[in-house]
Amino acid sequence: MKEFKMKKVILGFSGGIDSFYTAYILKESGYNVLPVFLKLLPNSNVEEAKKSAELLNLPLKVVDLQKEFRKEVIDYFISYYKKGLTPNPCTVCNQKIKLKYLYRLLEETNSNFVSTGHYAKVTYVRKFKRHLIKRGKDRRKEQSYFLALVEQKIFEKLLLPLGDYTKEEVIEKAKELGFPFEGESQDVCFIDSNYVDFLKPYIKEKEGKFVLEDGTVVGKHTGFFKFTVGQRRGLGISYKYPLYVLELRPEENIVVVGPKDRVLKNEIFIWKVNWHIDFQRIRKVPLFVQIRYRSKPTRVSSIEYFKNGIYRVKLAAKVEAPAPGQVCAFYTNDLLLGGGEITKEGVG
């Protein structure tokens, strides 16, 4: 009689409620689960993750990626703010750290699949003959956007059990299993307070000017890096109409401001694009873009290759403040087709 061989899955395991319940689902489904804690920071709580794994009688593997995380995520975060750009650390972390290194562990651990606690789905699409990411059930929580930059080949080996659950369902079921849920962790794992305080040791505070597009000075500030494109609140200046941040000029320490209609765009430029299917096929399907996490998808009227790896995307409606540096994800209906970085008009 042929011996049954249990499928082995490497699970990115933070010890939080999402990875805990993901491990439970996989284990109950008959997988041999290997939880892997990626140590990204000096104060990463390995002990809490071990306790979480022990609740499911699973041994925890710890992989130290502090140097890699510093280079690929933290240094990237700082450098983008220095250049007046708005970074997207969680999306870049999935691309260059989390899923990249979990995928590398497949061969080393003789495993069949990788898994994470993202609220999204993986589905095989016959039309494209590819495994693609699909939006999760919980529309308020779903996280497909954060997987836009991940290499498509990884999806062939990726399991995302939480895509079929809402956050409330996961919390309720995990509590029933004895998980001590105490609330969510902060959005950016390496920032304790706020991003401005985090950046102050790296970017010197210096008096600069708020100016209108015609150069009229309307106020002063203490550092361009404290603002982002589209920002209205916290400018500390009064004017005859509400002012929004239109542009950052770090070399001059200038923040350009103007009326709201100037931050509304029906054309954006994208580069460093990671397509999950062939671009020629993308042009033949109804296409939508999402310019930030939780923003409403907007229909694309046309997309064309511009130059130097840059694509020009024309939209059927205006979007508010597409910030250079942010990730733009491409969808057809609920299927994620890729993503890239918003750049200034054809500059890159």
Side-chain angles (χ1 to χ4, degrees):
M1 186 175 180
K2 189 175 180 181
E3 185 180 349
F4 172 73
K5 187 176 180 181
M6 190 181 290
K7 295 281 187 181
K8 192 173 183 180
V9 56
I10 296 171
L11 170 63
F13 194 84
S14 67
I17 195 165
D18 295 332
S19 58
F20 170 83
Y21 196 63
T22 300
Y24 173 78
I25 295 171
L26 292 169
K27 189 177 178 184
E28 288 296 298
S29 300
Y31 290 97
N32 178 6
V33 183
L34 175 60
V36 176
F37 183 88
L38 303 177
K39 184 175 174 61
L40 306 179
L41 299 165
N43 62 348
S44 293
N45 202 330
V46 180
E47 290 307 312
E48 284 299 313
K50 284 181 180 177
K51 289 178 184 177
S52 182
E54 285 170 3
L55 281 173
L56 297 169
N57 296 314
L58 295 172
L60 185 71
K61 178 180 176 67
V62 178
V63 178
D64 193 326
L65 294 177
Q66 292 181 77
K67 289 182 181 178
E68 293 84 351
F69 184 73
R70 177 77 208 192
K71 177 185 175 184
E72 299 290 1
V73 180
I74 298 178
D75 288 351
Y76 142 82
F77 183 86
I78 296 166
S79 70
Y80 266 44
Y81 271 108
K82 283 182 177 179
K83 291 185 285 189
L85 302 173
T86 304
N88 197 307
C90 296
T91 307
V92 169
C93 184
N94 282 324
Q95 174 198 25
K96 296 190 174 181
I97 299 294
K98 290 182 180 177
L99 281 159
K100 176 181 177 180
Y101 283 92
L102 290 173
Y103 186 78
R104 283 188 182 182
L105 283 171
L106 277 176
E107 190 173 340
E108 180 185 319
T109 59
N110 195 27
S111 298
N112 308 96
F113 300 102
V114 297
S115 183
T116 68
H118 283 96
Y119 286 81
K121 301 179 183 181
V122 181
T123 184
Y124 180 77
V125 184
R126 289 185 180 180
K127 179 179 180 179
F128 301 124
K129 297 180 181 178
R130 295 280 180 93
H131 285 84
L132 297 175
I133 298 297
K134 189 177 181 181
R135 292 191 189 275
K137 172 184 175 181
D138 190 342
R139 289 310 170 103
R140 292 175 303 161
K141 179 67 181 177
E142 80 91 15
Q143 297 170 311
S144 59
Y145 172 87
F146 292 118
L147 301 173
L149 303 185
V150 176
E151 283 188 87
Q152 186 276 330
K153 69 176 184 180
I154 293 177
F155 303 153
E156 297 173 12
K157 299 289 185 179
L158 182 62
L159 304 177
L160 299 175
L162 296 193
D164 292 318
Y165 293 84
T166 66
K167 182 72 177 190
E168 288 75 15
E169 288 171 338
V170 169
I171 292 172
E172 181 183 349
K173 292 175 183 296
K175 282 182 174 179
E176 290 173 0
L177 294 168
F179 185 86
F181 180 67
E182 296 178 354
E184 296 282 50
S185 58
Q186 71 263 32
D187 290 336
V188 181
C189 64
F190 55 87
I191 295 179
D192 293 325
S193 53
N194 60 71
Y195 85 92
V196 172
D197 287 342
F198 174 81
L199 290 169
K200 282 180 181 178
Y202 306 102
I203 309 177
K204 187 178 179 181
E205 288 185 280
K206 183 181 177 183
E207 186 176 282
K209 298 173 183 177
F210 287 108
V211 303
L212 301 178
E213 289 180 283
D214 65 4
T216 302
V217 177
V218 293
K220 295 179 180 180
H221 60 78
T222 56
F224 71 89
F225 65 93
K226 300 179 181 181
F227 307 95
T228 188
V229 171
Q231 182 176 337
R232 176 188 171 189
R233 300 185 182 215
L235 302 186
I237 49 176
S238 59
Y239 199 62
K240 57 188 176 184
Y241 52 77
L243 293 173
Y244 292 76
V245 175
L246 307 183
E247 182 187 353
L248 302 175
R249 297 177 184 168
E251 63 283 349
E252 304 167 77
N253 197 22
I254 281 177
V255 178
V256 182
V257 292
K260 184 174 181 177
D261 66 291
R262 295 294 292 140
V263 299
L264 301 175
K265 306 288 183 182
N266 60 5
E267 181 179 83
I268 52 178
F269 292 86
I270 316 292
W271 74 327
K272 300 180 182 177
V273 182
N274 171 49
W275 296 119
H276 299 164
I277 66 172
D278 184 73
F279 175 62
Q280 295 308 318
R281 302 204 69 182
I282 281 173
R283 298 180 69 183
K284 296 176 183 177
V285 299
L287 197 62
F288 293 78
V289 294
Q290 188 171 325
I291 63 166
R292 62 179 66 87
Y293 181 48
R294 289 191 177 133
S295 70
K296 185 179 178 181
T298 303
R299 189 167 64 84
V300 172
S301 56
S302 69
I303 181 171
E304 61 180 355
Y305 184 77
F306 184 57
K307 63 179 181 180
N308 302 329
I310 299 170
Y311 293 80
R312 186 204 307 264
V313 182
K314 294 186 177 180
L315 306 173
K318 291 185 176 182
V319 292
E320 185 173 335
Q326 269 290 330
V327 169
C328 174
F330 294 89
Y331 291 85
T332 184
N333 297 318
D334 284 346
L335 288 176
L336 178 66
L337 298 183
E341 183 182 304
I342 299 170
T343 183
K344 294 179 183 178
E345 298 176 4
V347 177

